[in-house]
Amino acid sequence: MKILFLGDIVGRSGRTAIIDNLTHLREEWRLDFVVVNGENASNGVGLTGAHAKLLLAAGVDCLTLGDHAFDQRDMAQFIETEPRIIRPLNYAKTAPGKGARVFDVPGGRKILVAQVLGQVFMKRPFDDPFSAIDQVLRSHPLGGLVNASLVDMHCEATSEKMGMGHYCDGRASIVVGTHTHVPTSDAMILPGGTAYQTDAGMCGDHNSVIGMEKTEPMRRFVTGMGKGRFTPAEGKATLSGLYVETDDRSGKATRVEMVRSGGLLQQSGP
Ligand SMILES: [Fe+2]
Ligand SMILES: [Fe+2]
């Protein structure tokens, strides 16, 4: 299976880059399934139903969210009507929507997509992501119920993401980090056959502070005082993430390539 995962879409710049380029990338790379994190797609915080519809129509098969899952109020209702949107498994016991779901892939194949939130350095406390994902992976064995599986590990600390990668090694096809918006250069296949990258990076303008127009965040860092709100940077976005090929029978990753397309970052792809 040929799978593309792209990290957090930040604002209009990231949305436009997806809408303008994904159809072409799907064809060029012959993608079977595309997962994109959309937690910052609407004005930098959360995802509206209207923007979700546009992204899904542009060729995204599954949108994951994160700690900002319900920052746009309509998502609480919208997620119940749109099974292609996944929120973190351990967001809250009463949260609407689902944290994991099996999707159909052309050729009669199936892929599990799940998302978990980490606990280290996060602004709010969340339940243990390791026990949450363990249950889901046990009930969706590779080579059994599903041909492939992807875990989006949404958290701040690189160490916690790596811990999750090794925890799922051999049990998930892909473990990829999101939330920090800066791609790490450690794409690899772990010993058990799981494709891994600590952070996918964002789909946003890198002439910014993690996707936000840089003036206000810099003022806060330099003076310690804020004056206004953060708004997404509006320059050209880099689409940033991971391309993975998996074996349909074993579910193990056979190839992994870092993806950086358009915008300021050095370009890379399969
Ligand atoms: Fe994010
Ligand atoms: Fe986040």
Side-chain angles (χ1 to χ4, degrees):
M1 205 179 290
K2 293 183 165 116
I3 302 157
L4 176 67
F5 180 89
L6 296 173
D8 312 32
I9 300 170
V10 183
R12 178 182 296 139
S13 157
R15 294 195 316 266
T16 305
I18 295 276
I19 290 163
D20 290 350
N21 297 297
L22 190 56
T23 308
H24 157 76
L25 289 180
R26 278 197 84 118
E27 275 172 29
E28 191 183 333
W29 297 342
R30 298 171 183 279
L31 299 170
D32 294 305
F33 201 77
V34 177
V35 183
V36 187
N37 184 300
E39 75 145 1
N40 308 105
S42 299
N43 204 26
V45 282
L47 174 65
T48 64
H51 287 158
K53 279 184 193 169
L54 289 173
L55 293 164
L56 292 164
V60 176
D61 295 305
C62 171
L63 284 161
T64 57
L65 294 170
D67 52 320
H68 293 293
F70 301 108
D71 285 5
Q72 298 287 341
R73 274 205 214 131
D74 74 326
M75 185 49 66
Q77 282 94 47
F78 189 80
I79 197 168
E80 302 277 26
T81 69
E82 180 46 81
R84 292 174 289 176
I85 303 176
I86 298 289
R87 49 87 172 156
L89 270 173
N90 55 336
Y91 185 89
K93 293 229 160 39
T94 54
K98 282 199 164 180
R101 191 172 257 122
V102 175
F103 294 82
D104 289 318
V105 179
R109 296 170 293 174
K110 292 197 183 301
I111 183 170
L112 168 80
V113 180
Q115 182 179 50
V116 277
L117 280 160
Q119 296 178 302
V120 181
F121 305 138
M122 298 299 280
K123 283 191 189 132
R124 279 175 44 206
F126 298 106
D127 285 348
D128 171 26
F130 291 89
S131 57
I133 199 68
D134 184 55
Q135 249 188 338
V136 170
L137 294 180
R138 277 177 196 277
S139 55
H140 298 84
L142 289 176
L145 270 188
V146 295
N147 302 94
S149 59
L150 181 150
V151 177
D152 173 349
M153 173 57 166
H154 194 84
C155 67
E156 200 76 53
T158 49
S159 55
E160 195 178 15
K161 295 185 201 198
M162 278 200 150
M164 182 58 74
H166 289 294
Y167 186 67
C168 300
D169 187 19
R171 303 197 287 156
S173 311
I174 303 167
V175 175
V176 60
T178 54
H179 178 73
T180 51
H181 295 198
V182 179
T184 56
S185 60
D186 60 341
M188 61 181 143
I189 298 176
L190 298 175
T194 297
Y196 174 81
Q197 185 175 354
T198 297
D199 202 286
M202 67 174 168
C203 298
D205 175 10
H206 277 266
N207 181 17
S208 68
V209 173
I210 62 169
M212 295 297 159
E213 206 288 312
K214 62 198 177 199
T215 314
E216 181 60 21
M218 283 173 66
R219 183 182 3 248
R220 291 196 202 179
F221 282 123
V222 174
T223 69
M225 290 177 288
K227 215 170 151 191
R229 297 179 60 169
F230 289 166
T231 54
E234 297 266 301
K236 232 176 171 229
T238 302
L239 294 180
S240 187
L242 197 60
Y243 166 90
V244 179
E245 291 179 12
T246 62
D247 181 274
D248 285 334
R249 227 180 272 168
S250 67
K252 304 281 169 87
T254 53
R255 182 183 172 197
V256 60
E257 303 285 347
M258 290 187 279
V259 171
R260 291 184 300 266
S261 177
L264 282 182
L265 291 194
Q266 186 197 52
Q267 303 293 288
S268 163

